[in-house]
Amino acid sequence: MSAASDTFLLIRDIKPGLKNLNVIFIVLEIGRVTKTKDGHEVRSCKVADKTGSITISVWDEIGGLIQPGDIIRLTKGYASLWKGCLTLYTGRGGELHKIGEFCMVYSEVPNFSEPNSEHVGQNKL
Amino acid sequence: QCYRDLALVSRDGMNIVLSKINHILMEKYLKLQDTCRTQLVWLLRELVKSGVLGADGVCMTFMKQIAGGDVTAKNIWLAESVLEILTEQREWVLKSSLLIAMAVYTYLRLIVDHHGTAQLQALRQKEVDFCISLLRERFMDCFMIGRDLVRLLQNVARIPEFEQLWKDIIHNPQVLSAQFTGVLQLLQSRTSRKFLACRLTPDMETKLLFMTSRVRFGQQKRYQDWFQRQYLATPDSQSLRCDLIRYICGVVHPSNEVLSSDILPRWAIIGWLLTTCTSNVAASNAKLALFYDWLFFNPEKDSIMNI
């Protein structure tokens, strides 16, 4: 399934399996770096908009560049389940673009990346 | 060369150039590279030397980009560069009462930050000489600042030149100006918003205004942390709290609609600014800053929103 390519999706409408997502969010927290088996750096970041928060996995340098408070536009992202938790990804062809900082209202709850019984049994990575 | 051409071609008194410069300064200064900043300062100097009408406005916009509580190299460079132009072009500065007042307000405030290293000490001395000469030569123009001038002068009162100035202010005000009757006259005069705002950079204003108009009470923690991390993280930066508090008291006057909503109230922001202060001196100055308008409140001339 893919969403329309020129509209922006609210975090509450992100569901596992959606592709070609455009989302605007503000970064709340940057997580610790972890190394993948093939040598990449990954960070899990908590981001939010007015409808709730979600975790996005960011690879390599970009993860080191973004800061809490940054307002970012994600284009061509996708969403999937990682260990039972809904997670957002940039993916191939996707882009994270900083469009501002600080001045965005958000709601930290609900956290859509919390492990959810609905997702048990669905496709997992 | 380019400047000469520009000056020759301009038919609107360089108005478009001036408004473009002001726009770049206000919106983009933080993103400008060093070479661009140097060019802009050069351009300002040329505008001032040619006596272009409105160059004083650009000067004031430049001064606004000098961040309080920030002693990093780039910020100091800017403070020095603008001061150099003002000192060099003194005759020109004297033509604008507003510029005199704004420059004195700016540099009196910055003196507090400039101490510790030889370079900062040298800068401070230039700033002291600059302010003292304007205060003594054009006291009534500086008087325009109002009661915050007293607050600023108090913060530098231990510097010998200012100690002397204080003696004159208290015991011999007429020495400064025939129209000056004393400290009380100055304390009774409310400080205009434009002075209170001039010591916040555009980015600081944008963020504070966002907090007081869009953020709901209870949701402010992260914004406070981000603001603190950017502007209030070092020991030197604690002096900025006074400027922020004066700004919130005197410039941010929420509408009744906002007041009756659940938007972050001013007292909550001020509470945050006071309780997270890491310096005793700065904290006591900040508390005084809070009460300044209340101490001298005159129902006829002052706004209740200031207290």
Side-chain angles (χ1 to χ4, degrees):
Chain A
M1 268 171 44
S2 47
S5 59
D6 52 352
T7 56
F8 289 98
L9 205 60
L10 295 173
I11 287 180
R12 74 169 165 226
D13 296 326
I14 296 177
K15 302 284 180 271
L18 288 184
K19 292 187 294 191
N20 218 15
L21 300 179
N22 302 327
V23 193
I24 295 181
F25 50 73
I26 185 165
V27 178
L28 300 186
E29 282 169 16
I30 312 274
R32 279 173 41 249
V33 196
T34 52
K35 281 240 165 36
T36 66
K37 292 188 197 108
D38 42 356
H40 289 286
E41 295 188 338
V42 188
R43 287 172 178 82
S44 285
C45 305
K46 189 184 217 188
V47 303
D49 66 12
K50 65 182 181 190
T51 64
S53 64
I54 195 170
T55 302
I56 181 170
S57 280
V58 188
W59 256 252
D60 300 320
E61 330 169 32
I62 303 228
L65 292 172
I66 59 181
Q67 293 292 311
D70 285 352
I71 299 173
I72 293 184
R73 179 181 65 221
L74 163 70
T75 44
K76 300 207 174 85
Y78 67 93
S80 175
L81 289 175
W82 172 250
K83 297 182 177 163
C85 298
L86 180 61
T87 309
L88 201 51
Y89 298 89
T90 320
R92 199 184 311 241
E95 218 182 55
L96 288 171
H97 191 85
K98 177 173 173 175
I99 57 174
E101 58 182 46
F102 202 95
C103 301
M104 177 169 162
V105 168
Y106 67 87
S107 173
E108 211 161 328
V109 296
N111 181 347
F112 293 98
S113 288
E114 255 154 33
N116 190 325
S117 55
E118 281 179 17
H119 296 147
V120 171
Q122 290 187 15
N123 273 338
K124 291 184 201 171
L125 271 176
Chain B
Q1 173 69 21
C2 286
Y3 180 79
R4 208 193 58 187
D5 294 342
L6 185 63
L8 286 172
V9 168
S10 168
R11 303 230 273 157
D12 64 345
M14 305 277 258
N15 261 313
I16 291 196
V17 171
L18 292 177
S19 66
K20 202 66 193 167
I21 296 178
N22 278 325
H23 180 84
I24 292 176
L25 283 174
M26 291 294 281
E27 311 276 319
K28 311 279 184 202
Y29 186 77
L30 290 175
K31 296 188 192 172
L32 286 181
Q33 296 202 355
D34 292 347
T35 45
C36 297
R37 293 178 180 192
T38 312
Q39 299 279 61
L40 271 177
V41 168
W42 176 88
L43 183 52
L44 172 63
R45 185 183 253 106
E46 293 305 310
L47 289 170
V48 168
K49 277 173 14 184
S50 332
V52 172
L53 218 55
D56 58 342
V58 178
C59 228
M60 292 189 270
T61 312
F62 251 110
M63 289 195 290
K64 189 178 173 62
Q65 311 308 316
I66 308 171
D70 178 342
V71 292
T72 57
K74 296 190 185 191
N75 199 47
I76 297 299
W77 169 84
L78 182 59
E80 278 174 337
S81 306
V82 175
L83 182 61
E84 213 183 298
I85 296 181
L86 293 174
T87 317
E88 220 179 73
Q89 306 290 329
R90 193 191 164 69
E91 294 301 303
W92 170 81
V93 172
L94 291 176
K95 293 186 198 165
S96 166
S97 298
L98 181 58
L99 181 58
I100 291 174
M102 291 286 256
V104 166
Y105 190 91
T106 299
Y107 281 101
L108 264 187
R109 164 60 186 90
L110 291 173
I111 285 173
V112 171
D113 295 340
H114 298 159
H115 61 94
T117 70
Q119 184 204 17
L120 289 178
Q121 201 47 51
L123 176 57
R124 173 183 270 203
Q125 193 54 53
K126 291 190 204 150
E127 291 167 334
V128 170
D129 296 338
F130 176 74
C131 291
I132 288 283
S133 79
L134 283 179
L135 282 161
R136 288 195 177 277
E137 203 175 313
R138 290 295 196 95
F139 188 76
M140 289 319 279
D141 287 326
C142 301
F143 185 98
M144 189 199 331
I145 296 172
R147 61 177 69 115
D148 278 76
L149 178 59
V150 177
R151 183 176 62 82
L152 292 179
L153 285 172
Q154 269 184 284
N155 290 344
V156 297
R158 305 240 234 110
I159 296 176
E161 291 91 330
F162 287 107
E163 208 177 350
Q164 187 53 51
L165 185 69
W166 266 109
K167 292 198 176 115
D168 289 334
I169 290 175
I170 308 261
H171 302 297
N172 216 348
Q174 315 275 289
V175 147
L176 295 163
S177 162
Q179 299 164 279
F180 181 44
T181 61
V183 162
L184 188 58
Q185 184 192 19
L186 195 49
L187 287 171
Q188 286 171 331
S189 166
R190 186 174 63 86
T191 296
S192 156
R193 289 172 165 198
K194 57 176 171 281
F195 293 108
L196 302 180
C198 84
R199 285 287 75 236
L200 267 65
T201 61
D203 188 67
M204 290 175 193
E205 271 194 276
T206 302
K207 291 177 173 164
L208 272 189
L209 288 173
F210 177 77
M211 285 174 74
T212 51
S213 64
R214 302 285 309 282
V215 175
R216 287 169 50 218
F217 190 30
Q219 303 287 315
Q220 70 270 25
K221 179 158 189 339
R222 286 193 196 272
Y223 297 104
Q224 286 173 351
D225 290 346
W226 298 335
F227 191 94
Q228 193 145 308
R229 197 192 56 196
Q230 186 176 5
Y231 292 119
L232 296 169
T234 66
D236 295 314
S237 62
Q238 304 310 305
S239 60
L240 182 62
R241 293 180 194 265
C242 282
D243 301 311
L244 298 172
I245 289 177
R246 289 303 289 141
Y247 182 84
I248 297 200
C249 289
V251 179
V252 181
H253 290 172
S255 65
N256 280 336
E257 196 188 321
V258 172
L259 285 173
S260 55
S261 72
D262 60 352
I263 295 293
L264 186 61
R266 294 190 290 162
W267 59 260
I269 296 208
I270 291 185
W272 158 60
L273 288 171
L274 286 174
T275 54
T276 51
C277 189
T278 57
S279 147
N280 283 333
V281 175
S284 68
N285 286 338
K287 285 173 196 158
L288 180 60
L290 182 57
F291 286 103
Y292 230 64
D293 290 310
W294 179 78
L295 286 167
F296 306 103
F297 186 73
N298 177 341
E300 266 145 69
K301 296 194 289 172
D302 293 327
S303 159
I304 195 158
M305 290 299 275
N306 280 20
I307 57 178

